Amino acid sequence: MKNLTEGNITDAVLKAIDGTKDARAKEVMSSLIRHLHAFVKDVQLTQDEWEGAIEYLYDTGQITGPTRNEFILTSDTLGISSLVDIINSNPDGGTEASVLGPFYIEGSKMVEIGTNLIGDSEGEPTVVSGIVRTLGGDPIEGAIIDVWQTAANGLYENQDPEQPENNLRCKMLTNKDGYYEFTTIKPVSYKVPTDGPVGRMLDLQGRHAWRPSHLHYKVSADGHRNLITEVFCEEDEYIEEDAVFGVRKSLAVPYKKISSEEEAKKYGISSPFYRVEFDFELETL
Ligand SMILES: [Fe+2]
Protein backbone atom coordinates (compact mmCIF):
# COMPACT_ATOMS: atom_id res chain seq x y z
CA MET A 1 0.00 0.00 0.00
CA LYS A 2 1.34 3.36 -1.04
CA ASN A 3 1.66 6.01 1.63
CA LEU A 4 0.15 9.30 0.43
CA THR A 5 2.18 12.39 1.26
CA GLU A 6 2.19 16.08 0.40
CA GLY A 7 4.82 15.19 -2.16
CA ASN A 8 3.01 12.42 -4.05
CA ILE A 9 -0.74 12.99 -3.66
CA THR A 10 -0.95 15.18 -6.79
CA ASP A 11 0.46 12.39 -8.94
CA ALA A 12 -1.94 9.93 -7.32
CA VAL A 13 -4.95 12.08 -8.28
CA LEU A 14 -3.61 12.63 -11.80
CA LYS A 15 -3.20 8.86 -12.15
CA ALA A 16 -6.78 8.35 -10.96
CA ILE A 17 -8.15 10.46 -13.83
CA ASP A 18 -5.83 8.90 -16.39
CA GLY A 19 -8.74 7.01 -17.97
CA THR A 20 -10.61 10.20 -18.93
CA LYS A 21 -11.53 9.52 -22.56
CA ASP A 22 -12.20 13.06 -23.72
CA ALA A 23 -8.72 14.47 -24.44
CA ARG A 24 -9.65 18.09 -23.80
CA ALA A 25 -11.46 17.22 -20.55
CA LYS A 26 -8.36 15.31 -19.44
CA GLU A 27 -6.09 18.25 -20.27
CA VAL A 28 -8.31 20.75 -18.43
CA MET A 29 -8.89 18.55 -15.37
CA SER A 30 -5.22 17.59 -15.07
CA SER A 31 -4.15 21.20 -15.17
CA LEU A 32 -6.86 22.19 -12.67
CA ILE A 33 -5.75 19.49 -10.24
CA ARG A 34 -2.06 20.45 -10.59
CA HIS A 35 -2.80 24.14 -10.02
CA LEU A 36 -5.22 23.59 -7.12
CA HIS A 37 -2.76 21.30 -5.38
CA ALA A 38 0.07 23.75 -5.98
CA PHE A 39 -2.09 26.55 -4.56
CA VAL A 40 -2.96 24.56 -1.42
CA LYS A 41 0.71 23.75 -0.88
CA ASP A 42 1.82 27.30 -1.66
CA VAL A 43 -0.37 28.89 1.03
CA GLN A 44 -0.35 25.79 3.30
CA LEU A 45 -4.14 26.04 3.46
CA THR A 46 -5.55 25.43 6.95
CA GLN A 47 -8.62 23.30 7.74
CA ASP A 48 -10.56 26.44 8.74
CA GLU A 49 -9.66 28.16 5.48
CA TRP A 50 -10.76 25.08 3.50
CA GLU A 51 -14.09 25.10 5.38
CA GLY A 52 -14.43 28.82 4.66
CA ALA A 53 -14.00 28.14 0.94
CA ILE A 54 -16.62 25.35 1.02
CA GLU A 55 -19.00 27.66 2.89
CA TYR A 56 -18.40 30.35 0.26
CA LEU A 57 -19.35 27.93 -2.52
CA TYR A 58 -22.39 26.68 -0.56
CA ASP A 59 -23.64 30.24 0.04
CA THR A 60 -23.00 31.11 -3.61
CA GLY A 61 -25.23 28.22 -4.66
CA GLN A 62 -27.92 29.18 -2.14
CA ILE A 63 -28.20 32.78 -3.39
CA THR A 64 -28.08 31.83 -7.08
CA GLY A 65 -31.35 31.49 -8.98
CA PRO A 66 -32.95 32.31 -12.33
CA THR A 67 -32.44 36.07 -11.91
CA ARG A 68 -29.15 36.15 -10.02
CA ASN A 69 -25.97 34.17 -10.56
CA GLU A 70 -23.42 34.64 -7.79
CA PHE A 71 -21.06 32.15 -9.47
CA ILE A 72 -20.79 34.50 -12.48
CA LEU A 73 -20.27 37.45 -10.14
CA THR A 74 -17.51 35.57 -8.32
CA SER A 75 -15.84 34.81 -11.63
CA ASP A 76 -16.28 38.44 -12.71
CA THR A 77 -14.85 40.00 -9.55
CA LEU A 78 -11.83 37.67 -9.64
CA GLY A 79 -11.11 38.69 -13.25
CA ILE A 80 -11.70 35.14 -14.52
CA SER A 81 -14.57 36.08 -16.85
CA SER A 82 -12.50 38.87 -18.37
CA LEU A 83 -9.46 36.63 -18.75
CA VAL A 84 -11.57 34.08 -20.62
CA ASP A 85 -12.94 36.89 -22.80
CA ILE A 86 -9.47 38.25 -23.53
CA ILE A 87 -8.13 34.80 -24.47
CA ASN A 88 -11.07 34.00 -26.74
CA SER A 89 -12.15 37.41 -27.98
CA ASN A 90 -11.84 38.68 -31.54
CA PRO A 91 -9.06 36.40 -32.86
CA ASP A 92 -9.53 38.02 -36.29
CA GLY A 93 -9.63 41.63 -35.08
CA GLY A 94 -13.38 42.26 -34.68
CA THR A 95 -14.96 44.23 -31.86
CA GLU A 96 -13.59 43.18 -28.48
CA ALA A 97 -15.75 41.13 -26.15
CA SER A 98 -16.51 41.90 -22.54
CA VAL A 99 -18.32 40.18 -19.69
CA LEU A 100 -21.92 38.99 -20.04
CA GLY A 101 -22.55 39.79 -16.39
CA PRO A 102 -25.23 38.18 -14.26
CA PHE A 103 -28.27 40.16 -15.45
CA TYR A 104 -28.83 38.96 -19.01
CA ILE A 105 -32.24 37.44 -19.72
CA GLU A 106 -33.12 35.40 -22.82
CA GLY A 107 -36.19 36.46 -24.74
CA SER A 108 -36.19 40.26 -24.57
CA LYS A 109 -38.90 41.90 -26.66
CA MET A 110 -38.08 42.59 -30.33
CA VAL A 111 -38.62 46.26 -31.22
CA GLU A 112 -38.30 48.48 -34.29
CA ILE A 113 -35.21 50.55 -35.02
CA GLY A 114 -35.56 53.93 -33.31
CA THR A 115 -37.74 52.65 -30.46
CA ASN A 116 -37.89 54.75 -27.33
CA LEU A 117 -37.28 52.50 -24.31
CA ILE A 118 -37.63 55.23 -21.69
CA GLY A 119 -41.28 54.67 -20.71
CA ASP A 120 -41.67 55.85 -17.11
CA SER A 121 -37.93 55.61 -16.37
CA GLU A 122 -36.23 58.59 -14.77
CA GLY A 123 -32.85 59.65 -16.13
CA GLU A 124 -31.03 61.61 -18.78
CA PRO A 125 -32.34 60.92 -22.31
CA THR A 126 -29.79 59.26 -24.55
CA VAL A 127 -29.86 58.26 -28.21
CA VAL A 128 -27.72 55.23 -29.02
CA SER A 129 -26.92 54.21 -32.57
CA GLY A 130 -24.36 52.54 -34.76
CA ILE A 131 -23.68 50.16 -37.58
CA VAL A 132 -22.95 46.44 -37.58
CA ARG A 133 -20.34 45.54 -40.18
CA THR A 134 -18.20 42.68 -41.38
CA LEU A 135 -14.44 42.92 -40.89
CA GLY A 136 -14.29 44.04 -44.52
CA GLY A 137 -16.57 46.99 -43.74
CA ASP A 138 -19.76 45.73 -45.38
CA PRO A 139 -22.96 46.48 -43.45
CA ILE A 140 -24.76 43.44 -42.07
CA GLU A 141 -28.51 43.53 -42.56
CA GLY A 142 -30.67 41.58 -40.09
CA ALA A 143 -28.05 41.38 -37.33
CA ILE A 144 -29.74 40.97 -33.95
CA ILE A 145 -28.82 43.62 -31.38
CA ASP A 146 -29.79 42.51 -27.87
CA VAL A 147 -29.21 45.25 -25.30
CA TRP A 148 -29.76 45.66 -21.55
CA GLN A 149 -28.84 48.29 -18.97
CA THR A 150 -29.50 49.73 -15.53
CA ALA A 151 -32.22 52.16 -14.59
CA ALA A 152 -31.26 55.46 -12.92
CA ASN A 153 -31.26 53.74 -9.50
CA GLY A 154 -28.37 51.52 -10.65
CA LEU A 155 -30.53 48.38 -10.78
CA TYR A 156 -31.38 46.09 -13.67
CA GLU A 157 -35.03 45.31 -14.22
CA ASN A 158 -34.58 41.75 -12.93
CA GLN A 159 -33.07 43.05 -9.66
CA ASP A 160 -35.84 45.53 -9.00
CA PRO A 161 -39.50 44.62 -8.42
CA GLU A 162 -40.44 48.29 -8.95
CA GLN A 163 -39.45 48.18 -12.63
CA PRO A 164 -41.77 46.72 -15.26
CA GLU A 165 -40.72 43.47 -16.91
CA ASN A 166 -38.32 44.01 -19.82
CA ASN A 167 -37.61 47.59 -18.72
CA LEU A 168 -34.61 49.10 -20.53
CA ARG A 169 -33.83 45.95 -22.50
CA CYS A 170 -34.76 44.99 -26.05
CA LYS A 171 -33.74 43.29 -29.25
CA MET A 172 -33.78 44.83 -32.72
CA LEU A 173 -32.73 43.90 -36.24
CA THR A 174 -30.32 46.09 -38.19
CA ASN A 175 -31.61 47.53 -41.47
CA LYS A 176 -30.00 47.17 -44.91
CA ASP A 177 -27.32 49.68 -43.91
CA GLY A 178 -26.48 47.63 -40.82
CA TYR A 179 -27.94 50.46 -38.73
CA TYR A 180 -29.46 50.24 -35.25
CA GLU A 181 -30.81 53.00 -33.05
CA PHE A 182 -32.75 53.32 -29.84
CA THR A 183 -33.55 56.01 -27.33
CA THR A 184 -33.03 55.28 -23.69
CA ILE A 185 -31.72 56.89 -20.51
CA LYS A 186 -28.05 57.25 -19.72
CA PRO A 187 -26.94 54.12 -17.87
CA VAL A 188 -25.37 54.90 -14.50
CA SER A 189 -22.37 53.52 -12.68
CA TYR A 190 -23.58 50.97 -10.14
CA LYS A 191 -22.43 48.60 -7.43
CA VAL A 192 -22.50 44.88 -8.05
CA PRO A 193 -24.65 43.19 -5.38
CA THR A 194 -22.83 43.07 -2.05
CA ASP A 195 -25.44 41.27 0.05
CA GLY A 196 -24.02 37.84 -0.75
CA PRO A 197 -20.69 36.00 -0.68
CA VAL A 198 -19.13 38.35 -3.27
CA GLY A 199 -19.82 41.29 -0.96
CA ARG A 200 -18.04 39.47 1.88
CA MET A 201 -15.09 38.77 -0.40
CA LEU A 202 -14.84 42.40 -1.59
CA ASP A 203 -14.94 43.59 2.03
CA LEU A 204 -12.19 41.18 2.98
CA GLN A 205 -10.09 42.48 0.10
CA GLY A 206 -10.80 46.13 0.91
CA ARG A 207 -12.31 46.72 -2.55
CA HIS A 208 -15.26 48.76 -3.77
CA ALA A 209 -18.07 47.20 -5.79
CA TRP A 210 -18.55 49.91 -8.45
CA ARG A 211 -18.80 49.37 -12.19
CA PRO A 212 -18.54 52.29 -14.64
CA SER A 213 -21.66 53.13 -16.64
CA HIS A 214 -22.20 50.80 -19.59
CA LEU A 215 -24.63 49.29 -22.06
CA HIS A 216 -24.59 45.51 -22.43
CA TYR A 217 -24.79 44.08 -25.94
CA LYS A 218 -25.19 40.68 -27.52
CA VAL A 219 -24.77 40.99 -31.28
CA SER A 220 -25.38 38.07 -33.62
CA ALA A 221 -25.79 37.54 -37.34
CA ASP A 222 -25.92 34.47 -39.58
CA GLY A 223 -22.47 33.30 -40.59
CA HIS A 224 -20.75 35.45 -37.96
CA ARG A 225 -19.23 34.86 -34.56
CA ASN A 226 -21.59 35.95 -31.75
CA LEU A 227 -20.34 38.95 -29.82
CA ILE A 228 -21.03 39.64 -26.14
CA THR A 229 -19.68 42.98 -25.08
CA GLU A 230 -20.22 46.23 -23.22
CA VAL A 231 -19.98 49.85 -24.32
CA PHE A 232 -18.71 52.18 -21.62
CA CYS A 233 -19.03 55.89 -20.95
CA GLU A 234 -15.41 57.02 -21.14
CA GLU A 235 -15.86 59.92 -18.69
CA ASP A 236 -17.20 57.70 -15.92
CA GLU A 237 -15.38 58.09 -12.59
CA TYR A 238 -14.92 54.32 -12.29
CA ILE A 239 -13.64 53.75 -15.84
CA GLU A 240 -10.14 52.89 -14.57
CA GLU A 241 -11.28 50.68 -11.69
CA ASP A 242 -14.14 48.48 -12.80
CA ALA A 243 -14.92 45.95 -10.03
CA VAL A 244 -15.29 43.21 -12.67
CA PHE A 245 -12.39 44.22 -14.97
CA GLY A 246 -14.65 44.49 -18.04
CA VAL A 247 -13.37 47.79 -19.49
CA ARG A 248 -11.36 47.73 -22.73
CA LYS A 249 -10.05 50.93 -24.27
CA SER A 250 -11.76 50.18 -27.58
CA LEU A 251 -15.12 49.86 -25.81
CA ALA A 252 -15.05 53.23 -24.01
CA VAL A 253 -16.71 56.05 -25.96
CA PRO A 254 -17.82 59.61 -25.30
CA TYR A 255 -21.41 60.44 -24.40
CA LYS A 256 -21.83 63.65 -26.37
CA LYS A 257 -24.11 66.17 -24.70
CA ILE A 258 -26.45 67.87 -27.19
CA SER A 259 -28.32 71.00 -26.21
CA SER A 260 -30.71 71.49 -29.09
CA GLU A 261 -34.48 71.45 -28.67
CA GLU A 262 -34.86 70.93 -32.40
CA GLU A 263 -32.62 67.82 -32.38
CA ALA A 264 -34.28 66.49 -29.23
CA LYS A 265 -37.73 66.88 -30.81
CA LYS A 266 -36.73 64.48 -33.59
CA TYR A 267 -36.49 61.75 -30.97
CA GLY A 268 -39.46 62.88 -28.88
CA ILE A 269 -37.23 63.70 -25.90
CA SER A 270 -36.19 66.81 -24.02
CA SER A 271 -32.96 68.77 -24.36
CA PRO A 272 -30.20 68.41 -23.34
CA PHE A 273 -29.67 64.78 -24.22
CA TYR A 274 -26.74 62.46 -24.86
CA ARG A 275 -25.68 60.83 -28.09
CA VAL A 276 -23.68 57.62 -28.15
CA GLU A 277 -22.40 56.04 -31.33
CA PHE A 278 -20.85 52.61 -31.43
CA ASP A 279 -20.21 50.40 -34.47
CA PHE A 280 -19.63 46.66 -34.25
CA GLU A 281 -17.40 44.56 -36.43
CA LEU A 282 -18.37 40.89 -36.47
CA GLU A 283 -15.95 38.14 -37.42
CA THR A 284 -16.89 35.56 -40.02
CA LEU A 285 -17.39 32.00 -38.78
FE1 LIG B 1 -23.88 45.68 -16.18
Side-chain angles (χ1 to χ4, degrees), residues 196-209:
V198 168
R200 299 204 308 262
M201 179 178 73
L202 294 178
D203 265 354
L204 182 71
Q205 296 166 344
R207 291 165 60 187
H208 70 69

Side-chain angles (χ1 to χ4, degrees), residues 8 16 43 47 52 84 109 129 148 196 208 213 233 252 262-263 281:
N8 67 21
V43 301
Q47 193 70 25
V84 173
K109 62 186 182 285
S129 64
W148 65 107
H208 70 69
S213 158
C233 173
E262 204 181 327
E263 274 291 298
E281 289 186 329

Side-chain angles (χ1 to χ4, degrees), residues 7-275:
N8 67 21
I9 191 168
T10 306
D11 285 341
V13 179
L14 290 172
K15 197 174 166 203
I17 71 156
D18 204 37
T20 308
K21 288 200 170 60
D22 183 303
R24 176 63 177 164
K26 188 173 177 180
E27 181 189 1
V28 170
M29 290 307 299
S30 299
S31 179
L32 180 67
I33 290 161
R34 279 198 305 274
H35 282 85
L36 284 176
H37 282 225
F39 153 70
V40 170
K41 286 188 228 175
D42 181 35
V43 301
Q44 289 289 293
L45 200 71
T46 67
Q47 193 70 25
D48 281 352
E49 289 163 346
W50 176 85
E51 282 174 18
I54 297 299
E55 190 183 330
Y56 182 96
L57 292 173
Y58 179 85
D59 291 349
T60 299
Q62 289 292 305
I63 208 167
T64 293
T67 58
R68 173 169 183 179
N69 193 325
E70 196 82 354
F71 287 103
I72 293 180
L73 195 55
T74 298
S75 168
D76 291 350
T77 47
L78 290 175
I80 306 294
S81 312
S82 276
L83 182 55
V84 173
D85 282 336
I86 289 165
I87 289 171
N88 293 285
S89 168
N90 68 333
D92 301 323
T95 299
E96 284 190 279
S98 184
V99 294
L100 173 69
F103 302 114
Y104 176 68
I105 297 179
E106 294 274 356
S108 277
K109 62 186 182 285
M110 182 68 79
V111 301
E112 298 290 319
I113 295 170
T115 290
N116 186 329
L117 301 176
I118 297 175
D120 292 332
S121 300
E122 308 260 311
E124 299 170 282
T126 301
V127 178
V128 184
S129 64
I131 292 170
V132 182
R133 297 192 181 91
T134 65
L135 288 188
D138 296 325
I140 302 177
E141 181 177 6
I144 301 170
I145 297 276
D146 191 345
V147 65
W148 65 107
Q149 67 165 92
T150 53
N153 63 1
L155 295 174
Y156 288 84
E157 161 263 303
N158 48 342
Q159 290 178 286
D160 183 2
E162 300 299 313
Q163 292 181 47
E165 205 176 323
N166 260 316
N167 195 37
L168 301 172
R169 58 175 85 220
C170 73
K171 281 183 192 171
M172 71 181 58
L173 295 172
T174 53
N175 69 13
K176 65 175 175 28
D177 300 317
Y179 186 72
Y180 73 91
E181 181 193 293
F182 57 94
T183 302
T184 184
I185 55 161
K186 187 172 187 274
V188 296
S189 41
Y190 66 89
K191 280 178 162 182
V192 298
T194 55
D195 58 340
V198 168
R200 299 204 308 262
M201 179 178 73
L202 294 178
D203 265 354
L204 182 71
Q205 296 166 344
R207 291 165 60 187
H208 70 69
W210 286 94
R211 297 214 63 205
S213 158
H214 56 270
L215 295 157
H216 286 276
Y217 282 90
K218 249 184 157 179
V219 187
S220 53
D222 285 347
H224 294 84
R225 195 188 300 274
N226 286 345
L227 173 69
I228 294 170
T229 195
E230 303 175 285
V231 172
F232 295 88
C233 173
E234 69 177 15
E235 296 94 4
D236 192 281
E237 65 178 301
Y238 297 105
I239 197 74
E240 299 286 357
E241 43 180 289
D242 182 1
V244 309
F245 309 98
V247 177
R248 312 280 175 269
K249 202 173 176 193
S250 68
L251 302 176
V253 295
Y255 275 52
K256 291 177 206 147
K257 199 166 197 174
I258 297 177
S259 303
S260 158
E261 283 297 344
E262 204 181 327
E263 274 291 298
K265 250 187 216 161
K266 286 186 198 165
Y267 302 103
I269 52 179
S270 55
S271 171
F273 67 100
Y274 289 98
R275 213 152 171 156

